[in-house]
Amino acid sequence: MSDENKSIHEFDFSLICEYFSGMERQGPGSPEVTVKALSFIDNLTEKSRIADIGCGTGGQTIVMAKNAPGTITGVDLFPDFIKQLENNAVKHHLGDRIKGITASMDNLPFQEEEFDLIWSEGAIYNIGFERGLNEWRKYLKPGGYIAVTEASWFTNERPSEIEEFWIDAYPEINTIPAKVTQLQNAGYIPVATFILPENCWTDHFYALQVQAQENFLKKHTGNKAAAELVANECREARLYSRFKEYYGYVFFIGKKI
Ligand code: SAH
């Protein structure tokens, strides 16, 4: 299909997908943080079933498979990301423990009480933290865990510039105690929360984009949507470096009761 025949939505979708597809991660995080979050999960065995929702190309899925027993089902809306997840799994000799499914997180093809652990890094915002926690709970066995990262405020107040950016980007952003209350109200014991270190944004996310941006812009010279996408990512990185005391990603880990 030529670009002219695509709706703006499809066009943006495939551009976004292409922009992020060469990268190890599509959101802030790091292998160390995934391993740290896993250290709070105490129910896993070789028979365990794990879902990684909004897995992207599988940066964290591979780390999980290397550091926890059981089999992992990675789910993402983009078929290209799922293809890359599966290729990565084979490359790491984990093809028998990781499988990918293309599906939307608001309509998951899962059975009730199918999973011991539901994982989601940098992705639950697509349906909203509260909605995701409530809707996904039924897929967990009693005593199963949920572990998600979510954008959160670190303070009660913050400069209006960053407040306005986030209210526009993700109005559900809130303070850590407010999010913990939502986790508890959704029927989970709040087991742990911790703030992702700065390098999850800088070294593991924005720095990886710099080289990719150059190639991407070269390939799409003259394409306004591509230029806007890159400009947006750069703006986000600049905002992060100016306002990182006020917000960041937080791991929220809960146990279904
Ligand atoms: N977990 C990965 C990717 C985070 S980016 C990482 O941390 O690197 C968010 C991911 O959510 C993207 O891969 C995007 O394709 C996926 N996504 C967006 N909307 C979705 C939906 N409705 N259902 C499933 N996945 C979705």
Side-chain angles (χ1 to χ4, degrees):
M1 204 191 292
S2 75
D3 285 350
E4 290 78 34
N5 293 332
K6 287 184 180 177
S7 76
I8 183 71
H9 204 70
E10 285 171 299
F11 185 69
D12 280 348
F13 240 49
S14 60
L15 261 190
I16 293 170
C17 189
E18 184 195 324
Y19 177 81
F20 280 108
S21 64
M23 291 176 210
E24 196 181 302
R25 304 197 58 96
Q26 291 74 44
S30 74
E32 293 75 21
V33 158
T34 298
V35 169
K36 179 169 173 172
L38 269 177
S39 74
F40 294 100
I41 316 294
D42 59 14
N43 64 339
L44 299 177
T45 68
E46 262 149 40
K47 292 204 176 108
S48 294
R49 302 275 323 278
I50 302 169
D52 183 7
I53 301 177
C55 61
T57 59
Q60 74 289 315
T61 327
I62 302 290
V63 174
M64 269 197 283
K66 287 186 175 169
N67 290 277
T71 54
I72 308 177
T73 304
V75 182
D76 204 278
L77 195 57
F78 286 139
D80 283 4
F81 286 173
I82 290 299
K83 249 179 252 154
Q84 285 189 49
L85 163 77
E86 287 178 335
N87 290 342
N88 283 339
V90 169
K91 212 162 57 193
H92 289 271
H93 309 288
L94 294 165
D96 56 335
R97 293 188 43 224
I98 295 176
K99 84 169 182 191
I101 295 181
T102 302
S104 183
M105 60 176 78
D106 59 6
N107 186 22
L108 291 163
F110 296 152
Q111 310 288 316
E112 292 201 0
E113 302 191 357
E114 189 177 336
F115 291 100
D116 301 276
L117 169 62
I118 291 180
W119 202 268
S120 185
E121 291 195 33
I124 195 170
Y125 72 88
N126 286 295
I127 58 165
F129 182 77
E130 219 176 351
R131 181 176 167 199
L133 291 180
N134 280 287
E135 286 189 9
W136 299 347
R137 186 176 179 277
K138 59 179 172 292
Y139 304 123
L140 276 180
K141 294 175 188 160
Y145 284 84
I146 192 157
V148 303
T149 60
E150 165 80 344
S152 311
W153 295 126
F154 296 163
T155 54
N156 284 334
E157 287 173 17
R158 69 287 315 183
S160 57
E161 186 179 346
I162 194 61
E163 174 124 15
E164 279 158 23
F165 168 81
W166 273 102
I167 295 306
D168 182 48
Y170 183 54
E172 228 188 291
I173 187 169
N174 211 328
T175 59
I176 298 170
K179 298 263 171 205
V180 170
T181 299
Q182 290 173 341
L183 180 74
Q184 183 158 325
N185 289 345
Y188 304 93
I189 298 169
V191 170
T193 65
F194 66 91
I195 293 174
L196 274 62
E198 228 176 282
N199 73 350
C200 291
W201 294 77
T202 51
D203 305 347
H204 292 279
F205 191 46
Y206 293 133
L208 297 185
Q209 292 186 32
V210 175
Q211 182 62 34
Q213 281 165 354
E214 220 172 275
N215 298 335
F216 183 77
L217 285 177
K218 232 181 258 163
K219 185 172 164 204
H220 295 285
T221 309
N223 179 329
K224 222 174 134 204
E228 271 169 21
L229 176 64
V230 170
N232 248 342
E233 291 302 313
C234 292
R235 174 166 176 247
E236 256 191 61
R238 281 195 304 274
L239 282 173
Y240 181 72
S241 98
R242 285 173 59 210
F243 294 112
K244 60 193 173 200
E245 285 83 10
Y246 297 98
Y247 73 95
Y249 261 38
V250 175
F251 239 114
F252 293 91
I253 300 166
K255 184 172 185 169
K256 177 174 172 177
I257 42 173

